Amino acid sequence: MTNETIDIEEQEQEDLLYEHFRMEVDKGQVPIRIDKYLVEHQPHSSRNRIQQAADAGFIHVNEKPVKSNYKVRPGDIITLMLDRPHYDTTIEPEDIPLEVVYEDADLMVINKPAGMVVHPGCGNFNGTLVNAIAWHLKDLASYDPNDPEVGLVHRIDKDTSGLLVVAKTPDAKTSLGKQFFNKTTHRSYNALVWGNFVEDEGRIEGNIGRDPKDRLRMEVFPPDSEIGKPAVTHYRVMERYGYVTLVECILETGRTHQIRAHMKHIGHPLFADERYGGTEILRGERTASYKAYIQNCFKLCPRQVLHAKTLGFVHPRTGQQMDFTSEWPADMTALIDKWRKYIKAKE
C-alpha cells in the first residue's frame, strides 16, 4: 500500500475509475468500521476525508464500493479508486523565481505571488511553489523535497498572495508545526470585501466543512455541530469605501478557505472571489457607469482580494521572535487606489 493521502478535494466521480492504492486486511483483524481502519493505516488522512471518499464511491472492498460504516474482515482487499490515472507525485526542482523574504540554515520565509499553486495536486503537477523551493534548495544535500518531515509548514490558496514559512530541517518543521497547532503563531490577512460593516471589528465562529452542493467550496456550519472543523476569524475595519470595505483578518485557526467562507457566511464575500459569489455586483448603484467601473475593477485584480500580510513565530533554534510583513502586490495596490479615488470623488 502506498502512503498517498486520500484527497478528493477537486474530484467528482465518473464512470471510469483508476486504482490508487490496494491493501489486504490482516488475517487476525477484528471487525471494525472501514473509516476507522483506514485512519489507522493512513496517518496522513483524516476520518472526515475518508468518509467523503466513501460517500463518493471511491473506496472499494473486494471490487465493490462500500460506505464508511462497512466493517472490514480478514482477507478483505481494500482499494482507493479515483476518476483520474495515478500520477507520479515525485516533486522535481523547477527554475521558477522566488521572492525570499528571509532565509537561514533552519527555515525560509517566502512571499508567494497570486496565481501560483502551493503544492502539486490534481491538474497542477508542476509549476508549483514546492517545485520552486526544490530548485532553490537543490544544492542543500540535507533537503529532500519529497520528505514530508521538511518543507512547507502551512499553505495559502492559489489566488491568495503573501507570506509562507518553509522548514529546511525536521526539527524546524516539528517546532513550527507545533506553534501552528497550538495557535501561538501570529498571522494577519488584508482583504477587500463587499459591503459596509456596522461595527469596526468582530469575531466569526463557525465550523468549516465541504459544501455538499459544491465540492470545490467550503461551507460554514454551527460551532456545536459535528460537521466540519472548528474555525475562528477576527476582523477589523481598516478603510471604508461605501460599497466595499478593506479589512484585516486574524486567524485563530487555519482551515481551507477560512476567510473566504467566513466572510461569505456573514454577508461580505471577498471582492472578485468567483467561487464565493464575489464577482457579482453585490452593493452599489444600478447605473451603467457604476457597472462599468466594477467590471474595470475586476479586470484590474481578477482574483479574490486576499493577501497574507504578516507572519510571526518563534525561531525553532534560537527561540527568538520572528515577525515579517509583506507589501500588497501590484494588482491589489492598484485596486485599492482606484477605490480610494472613487470614494473621494463622491465626497
Side-chain angles (χ1 to χ4, degrees):
M1 172 178 160
T2 68
N3 195 33
E4 179 178 348
T5 300
I6 295 177
D7 190 341
I8 56 167
E9 282 192 5
E10 299 193 8
Q11 299 299 319
E12 291 182 0
Q13 188 175 16
E14 296 178 357
D15 292 336
L16 187 60
L17 298 178
Y18 303 85
E19 182 178 308
H20 279 240
F21 78 67
R22 170 183 291 258
M23 67 173 297
E24 182 176 354
V25 178
D26 295 336
K27 293 181 179 180
Q29 177 65 51
V30 298
I32 184 176
R33 284 175 58 112
I34 194 168
D35 54 354
K36 185 176 181 180
Y37 179 83
L38 287 176
V39 165
E40 295 173 352
H41 290 78
Q42 283 275 299
H44 298 288
S45 294
S46 68
R47 191 168 183 177
N48 184 53
R49 185 64 53 82
I50 290 169
Q51 289 171 343
Q52 290 177 2
D55 291 343
F58 291 147
I59 295 180
H60 290 205
V61 174
N62 304 326
E63 301 184 352
K64 294 182 180 180
V66 298
K67 295 300 183 182
S68 56
N69 62 354
Y70 173 85
K71 291 189 176 181
V72 302
R73 298 172 176 82
D76 276 349
I77 303 298
I78 301 174
T79 54
L80 172 66
M81 309 294 292
L82 296 180
D83 57 353
R84 56 180 168 82
H86 185 76
Y87 192 91
D88 183 3
T89 57
T90 301
I91 296 167
E92 298 293 341
E94 294 182 48
D95 189 4
I96 302 170
L98 276 181
E99 183 182 346
V100 179
V101 177
Y102 173 85
E103 183 173 9
D104 62 26
D106 300 287
L107 57 88
M108 61 187 206
V109 176
I110 296 169
N111 190 27
K112 186 189 84 71
M116 175 181 276
V117 175
V118 169
H119 197 278
C122 182
N124 297 285
F125 297 112
N126 49 49
T128 72
L129 181 64
V130 168
N131 297 111
I133 293 169
W135 178 273
H136 183 83
L137 299 177
K138 67 183 187 301
D139 296 326
L140 184 62
S142 61
Y143 185 84
D144 179 359
N146 295 287
D147 183 355
E149 292 188 351
V150 295
L152 283 167
V153 182
H154 59 124
R155 304 181 185 186
I156 57 178
D157 297 336
K158 171 187 175 182
D159 289 326
T160 299
S161 55
L163 297 172
L164 289 163
V165 62
V166 178
K168 291 185 177 182
T169 68
D171 286 346
K173 188 162 187 181
T174 297
S175 173
L176 292 166
K178 286 181 179 178
Q179 292 181 53
F180 276 87
F181 180 79
N182 293 327
K183 305 174 186 177
T184 59
T185 58
H186 304 285
R187 289 178 289 164
S188 72
Y189 292 71
N190 289 172
L192 187 70
V193 304
W194 278 105
N196 203 351
F197 288 81
V198 175
E199 62 286 342
D200 289 330
E201 57 186 32
R203 180 179 186 273
I204 310 168
E205 181 176 6
N207 291 7
I208 302 288
R210 189 71 52 188
D211 185 336
K213 297 180 181 178
D214 183 351
R215 302 193 68 81
L216 303 184
R217 189 168 63 184
M218 306 305 287
E219 184 63 84
V220 179
F221 300 93
D224 57 353
S225 71
E226 296 183 356
I227 306 174
K229 296 181 179 180
V232 176
T233 302
H234 300 269
Y235 66 87
R236 177 183 65 85
V237 171
M238 297 173 65
E239 296 181 30
R240 301 174 186 268
Y241 310 120
Y243 306 131
V244 297
T245 306
L246 180 65
V247 296
E248 176 189 48
C249 295
I250 298 176
L251 302 181
E252 275 192 27
T253 53
R255 309 304 183 197
T256 301
H257 296 185
Q258 178 171 322
I259 293 173
R260 300 166 68 187
H262 268 174
M263 284 296 166
K264 164 77 172 179
H265 180 65
I266 65 170
H268 296 282
L270 268 62
F271 191 83
D273 188 349
E274 182 175 8
R275 183 149 290 160
Y276 289 87
T279 52
E280 302 292 329
I281 301 179
L282 301 178
R283 301 288 192 281
E285 305 164 11
R286 297 183 177 181
T287 62
S289 60
Y290 178 76
K291 292 178 180 178
Y293 168 78
I294 294 298
Q295 293 304 320
N296 287 333
C297 287
F298 289 154
K299 292 177 182 177
L300 197 59
C301 188
R303 49 107 180 179
Q304 72 258 13
V305 188
L306 183 61
H307 178 69
K309 178 74 172 176
T310 69
L311 174 62
F313 53 84
V314 173
H315 194 282
R317 183 187 296 271
T318 68
Q320 178 184 356
Q321 177 65 36
M322 310 288 286
D323 293 297
F324 302 93
T325 299
S326 61
E327 299 301 319
W328 295 337
D331 60 352
M332 185 170 173
T333 298
L335 178 63
I336 296 301
D337 286 343
K338 190 176 182 68
W339 273 104
R340 284 171 175 163
K341 292 176 182 177
Y342 177 87
I343 198 65
K344 188 175 182 179
K346 287 285 186 179
E347 293 175 352

